[in-house]
Amino acid sequence: MSPFQAVFRLFYICRDLLSEVLTLFLLMARSQASMAAEILFLRKQLAFYQERQIKPHRFDDASRLSLLLLSKFFDWRKALINVKPATFTGWHKKAFQLFWRWKSRGGRPRLPRDIQQLIAEMVINNPTWGQERVADELSLKLDILVSPRTVKKYWPEGVSSDSRKVSSQRWKTFVHNHASALVGCDFATVVTATFRRIYVLVVMEIGTRRISTAM
């Protein structure tokens, strides 16, 4: 469907809905006795159509939307005749899908240009950082909430966006360089001779090999 046809179709739907809204206001101004008599009058005629099993015309979009709106004011299940309840609830689902498609048609807005430039500078100046690290730095230090997928969207050209290693040094070298600031811990259970269970937490300073325990 072309954009012109979509606009033309929307115009006819709005026109029909406006006409039915005006009719509804006119009916609301009438007395209850008059409304009840007209409803009974129409139901009598509808009963004859049902007896002859005359197939009604197919509902258009404006008629479907109008019935959906009117169904909010009464129990529509007792008055539904021309279509099955499953078909009517299907109209509800389709209308809900169309509404959210229209609401999210623009997608997510683009980040401001200064934040885009900031992401590019962080990537270039920190070659070991990946998408998650850049997103975390923006969130923790600058309170700029973006996802790693958004960071990838503004990743500089010519720079690989694959997950990169934080450091090329081996684990043994890392432990040797940071031994004074590292601790190792383990949690274990010990059963005594009297079958008493003791929970033991062992903490060892890597640099001094000093062990501390807690029970």
Side-chain angles (χ1 to χ4, degrees):
M1 180 183 298
S2 64
F4 177 77
Q5 291 176 337
V7 174
F8 197 69
R9 182 178 179 182
L10 181 61
F11 170 76
Y12 274 100
I13 293 176
C14 294
R15 185 199 64 179
D16 293 342
L17 288 177
L18 180 61
S19 176
E20 293 189 2
V21 168
L22 294 176
T23 303
L24 179 62
F25 279 115
L26 293 176
L27 292 175
M28 291 174 62
R30 296 170 55 181
S31 63
Q32 293 184 355
S34 175
M35 289 289 298
E38 183 175 352
I39 292 174
L40 182 60
F41 184 82
L42 294 174
R43 285 186 176 181
K44 286 287 186 181
Q45 297 179 77
L46 183 60
F48 284 100
Y49 278 99
Q50 289 179 313
E51 289 179 359
R52 295 185 179 183
Q53 297 182 352
I54 298 177
K55 187 176 181 180
H57 291 289
R58 184 179 181 86
F59 287 99
D60 55 11
D61 293 335
S63 299
R64 294 190 185 99
L65 185 57
S66 176
L67 291 177
L68 290 176
L69 295 176
L70 292 174
S71 66
K72 303 297 182 181
F73 298 97
F74 69 103
D75 187 5
W76 55 268
R77 292 174 179 81
K78 297 180 180 180
L80 190 64
I81 296 176
N82 292 339
V83 296
K84 297 180 179 179
T87 303
F88 192 75
T89 54
W91 294 350
H92 277 276
K93 295 178 182 179
K94 184 178 180 181
F96 185 78
Q97 292 173 354
L98 291 176
F99 170 75
W100 279 108
R101 186 183 303 171
W102 170 81
K103 189 173 182 180
S104 59
R105 66 190 184 282
R108 293 184 178 179
R110 293 180 61 85
L111 291 178
R113 185 170 297 275
D114 56 342
I115 298 181
Q116 298 181 28
Q117 295 176 354
L118 178 61
I119 292 176
E121 292 177 2
M122 293 174 67
V123 172
I124 295 174
N125 297 332
N126 301 276
T128 61
W129 289 6
Q131 301 164 15
E132 294 185 1
R133 176 65 183 275
V134 174
D136 292 340
E137 292 290 331
L138 290 173
S139 175
L140 295 175
K141 296 183 179 180
L142 301 177
D143 199 23
I144 300 176
L145 302 179
V146 295
S147 65
R149 182 176 298 180
T150 303
V151 172
K152 183 180 180 180
K153 183 178 179 181
Y154 302 103
W155 203 266
E157 296 183 1
V159 180
S160 176
S161 61
D162 296 336
S163 299
R164 290 173 285 178
K165 296 181 180 179
V166 177
S167 176
S168 59
Q169 63 181 351
R170 297 183 178 182
W171 175 249
K172 183 178 180 180
T173 305
F174 175 81
V175 173
H176 182 268
N177 294 335
H178 303 279
S180 60
L182 295 177
V183 295
C185 60
D186 194 8
F187 187 81
T189 58
V190 178
V191 181
T192 64
T194 58
F195 299 100
R196 180 186 176 187
R197 180 174 294 179
I198 300 176
Y199 299 92
V200 182
L201 176 63
V202 181
V203 180
M204 183 182 69
E205 297 180 3
I206 302 299
T208 61
R209 297 294 194 271
R210 187 174 63 181
I211 296 178
S212 301
T213 60
M215 294 183 291

